[in-house]
Amino acid sequence: MPRVQLIFDAAAREDPLATISTELPNKEFSILSSHPTDDGILGLVELDTSQPDTVIQHFQDAPEMSHEMLHNDGQTVVIQYLIPETESNCALRASGILSCTQSRK
């Protein structure tokens, strides 16, 4: 299966998932799924962490994001999230494989 590792300045744009990633710089986020919907971007993220409560708190503190904890065994956290479509997400989709559902200003 193809694999891509992207590095970009997440703090440069308003993006709830990127903000959480910036706030937790030592955590590796594996985005397992990310799909545009009529309501925004529906995604699934996995994090290996010894501090799952800290990760969960960051998701709870993001008012523009809804989320559901799907798995937490104290080592690995899997969270389904819904965020508004963001400029950085559109940039990640610029490859043409996926497209943005909204136009940008």
Side-chain angles (χ1 to χ4, degrees):
M1 175 185 332
R3 232 179 124 93
V4 174
Q5 182 175 1
L6 299 171
I7 298 173
F8 63 96
D9 185 359
R13 301 283 182 232
E14 290 194 26
D15 181 323
L17 190 60
T19 299
I20 293 171
S21 176
T22 301
E23 292 169 350
L24 300 168
N26 296 324
K27 305 293 182 216
E28 183 174 325
F29 286 62
S30 296
I31 298 175
L32 304 176
S33 176
S34 179
H35 300 281
T37 69
D38 290 340
D39 297 321
I41 304 299
L42 179 64
L44 191 63
V45 65
E46 178 183 70
L47 294 95
D48 292 326
T49 179
S50 60
Q51 301 171 330
D53 293 338
T54 301
V55 171
I56 294 164
Q57 187 62 50
H58 281 278
F59 276 83
Q60 291 173 341
D61 290 345
E64 62 282 350
M65 172 189 289
S66 61
H67 72 283
E68 179 181 353
M69 176 71 52
L70 300 179
H71 176 78
N72 178 1
D73 65 9
Q75 301 263 349
T76 301
V77 174
V78 178
I79 299 171
Q80 179 176 290
Y81 61 88
L82 180 65
I83 59 173
E85 192 161 55
T86 63
E87 187 175 343
S88 59
N89 192 275
C90 285
L92 293 173
R93 295 175 182 284
S95 66
I97 295 170
L98 299 171
S99 63
C100 293
T101 59
Q102 300 173 352
S103 62
R104 294 282 133 220
K105 295 178 185 176

